[in-house]
């Protein structure tokens, strides 16, 4: 079953426009989720908005957004105020600029979505835009309002569709100067380098989705099933972390590692 559309609107390049739909490329619906319960009654516990000063419960319709302008002082903003500064890019992804697909660093990528034509009438226009980007190796840059904020988005042709990545804001990225300084160490000894390369070769395998499975989730599901069948059964304590042993040098550690790989 195809996932439901997250958003519907239009893809536009100059005077070429086509109706599209956006589908999240990732999902968290399979993640194990818990409810907080009252231990005595087994009933779910609900959260309530409470005035931080008076302690009174505040109804949802009595709340308003506030921007801090000092200690215990806020500028209140009504929904009408926020709508007044809303941008036009709520229903149209207008491709304003193209960049080389390899120029956008990995750190800017935030969350992926699939873009697909939502109407047979627009399929040809969508296909032409996608094919032209694929032929030129270019990626489209546009803007789109999501979650009340305008996001820069990156459009990449993939297979018969387009993958749209929301991009992080510039103020979300940390300066990598400290990382670069820490990484500028002396060149490693050639013997050690050769041994690590052999270790990498011994552990090289073909990519598989099984490599990113979550064993903790599987263990949780097994624990829940066990609790359902035998509620009084105690959960087993997690195994202790293996100790590293008395390794006296990197060379010694690598020799042991390579020896273990051969046996495996």
């Amino acid at each position: 079953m195809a996932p439901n559309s997250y958003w519907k609107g239009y893809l536009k390049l100059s005077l070429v426009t086509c109706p599209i739909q956006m589908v999240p490329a990732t999902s968290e619906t399979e993640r194990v989720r818990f409810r907080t319960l009252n231990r005595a009654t087994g009933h779910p516990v609900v959260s309530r908005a409470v005035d931080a000063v008076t302690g009174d419960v505040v109804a949802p319709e009595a709340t308003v957004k506030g921007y801090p302008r000092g200690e215990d002082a806020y500028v209140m903003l009504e929904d009408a105020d926020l709508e007044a500064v809303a941008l036009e890019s709520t229903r149209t992804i207008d491709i304003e600029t193209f960049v080389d697909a390899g120029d956008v660093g990995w750190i800017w990528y935030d969350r992926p979505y699939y873009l697909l034509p939502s109407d047979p009438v627009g399929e040809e226009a969508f296909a032409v835009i996608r094919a032209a980007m694929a032929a030129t190796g270019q990626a489209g840059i546009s803007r789109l309002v999501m979650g009340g904020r305008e996001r820069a988005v990156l459009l990449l042709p993939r297979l018969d569709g387009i993958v749209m990545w929301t991009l992080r804001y510039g103020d979300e990225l940390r300066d990598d100067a400290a990382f670069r300084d820490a990484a500028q160490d002396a060149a490693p000894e050639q013997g050690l380098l050769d041994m690590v390369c052999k270790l990498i070769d011994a552990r090289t395998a073909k990519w598989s989705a099984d490599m990113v499975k979550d064993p903790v989730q599987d263990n949780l599901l097994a624990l829940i099933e066990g609790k359902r069948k035998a509620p009084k059964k105690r959960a087993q304590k997690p195994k202790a972390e293996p100790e590293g042993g008395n390794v006296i040098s990197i060379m010694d550690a690598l020799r042991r590692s390579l020896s273990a790989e051969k046996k495996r």
Side-chain angles (χ1 to χ4, degrees):
M1 180 185 294
N4 295 328
S5 297
Y6 172 81
W7 174 93
K8 285 189 175 182
Y10 297 90
L11 178 66
K12 181 181 179 184
L13 174 58
S14 188
L15 300 179
V16 180
T17 304
C18 58
I20 58 170
Q21 57 183 324
M22 181 195 302
V23 178
T26 59
S27 172
E28 297 182 353
T29 57
E30 299 301 319
R31 179 183 297 179
V32 175
R33 299 180 185 276
F34 299 101
R35 291 288 302 275
T36 301
L37 307 179
N38 182 334
R39 184 188 296 274
T41 64
H43 300 159
V45 175
V46 297
S47 299
R48 306 175 76 180
V50 177
D51 188 300
V53 177
T54 66
D56 297 333
V57 175
V58 182
E61 60 271 15
T63 62
V64 64
K65 290 182 173 60
Y67 181 83
R69 60 180 177 85
E71 188 174 355
D72 298 328
Y74 300 87
V75 176
M76 291 189 181
L77 298 172
E78 302 290 344
D79 289 342
D81 298 323
L82 299 175
E83 291 174 2
V85 298
L87 302 166
E88 296 298 323
S89 52
T90 56
R91 281 286 170 258
T92 302
I93 300 175
D94 189 352
I95 307 178
E96 305 165 350
T97 310
F98 288 91
V99 299
D100 190 292
D103 285 349
V104 184
W106 62 270
I107 198 169
W108 292 96
Y109 285 48
D110 183 24
R111 184 166 294 184
Y113 296 85
Y114 295 131
L115 296 187
L116 304 166
S118 61
D119 190 311
V121 176
E123 288 181 356
E124 183 178 13
F126 181 90
V128 167
I129 294 173
R130 186 211 63 78
M133 285 196 294
T136 58
Q138 300 297 298
I141 299 289
S142 185
R143 308 191 73 82
L144 179 66
V145 173
M146 301 177 68
R149 296 188 69 184
E150 189 181 56
R151 306 294 302 264
V153 296
L154 177 73
L155 307 180
L156 294 168
R158 179 170 176 80
L159 301 178
D160 292 330
I162 294 174
V163 173
M164 186 194 83
W165 282 88
T166 55
L167 299 178
R168 300 185 189 279
Y169 297 103
D171 57 9
E172 293 178 339
L173 304 185
R174 291 184 173 176
D175 187 6
D176 63 353
F179 170 76
R180 291 198 308 268
D181 292 342
Q184 291 178 357
D185 295 332
E189 182 185 330
Q190 187 61 44
L192 296 176
L193 183 61
D194 292 341
M195 295 184 75
V196 173
C197 288
K198 289 180 181 178
L199 192 57
I200 291 174
D201 288 341
R203 294 200 171 196
T204 297
K206 228 176 183 181
W207 161 256
S208 167
D210 290 337
M211 294 179 180
V212 291
K213 286 183 67 175
D214 183 2
V216 174
Q217 173 124 327
D218 294 338
N219 293 341
L220 278 173
L221 292 173
L223 173 64
I224 292 168
E225 182 63 17
K227 287 274 190 181
R228 188 182 66 82
K229 292 180 177 178
K232 294 183 180 180
K233 186 178 179 181
R234 289 188 176 183
Q236 294 182 351
K237 291 183 179 180
K239 294 180 180 179
E241 291 291 329
E243 295 183 2
N246 186 22
V247 179
I248 59 174
S249 70
I250 298 177
M251 182 66 77
D252 185 31
L254 288 173
R255 287 198 184 100
R256 294 184 188 183
S257 298
L258 289 172
S259 177
E261 289 301 320
K262 289 178 182 177
K263 290 178 181 178
R264 190 174 69 168

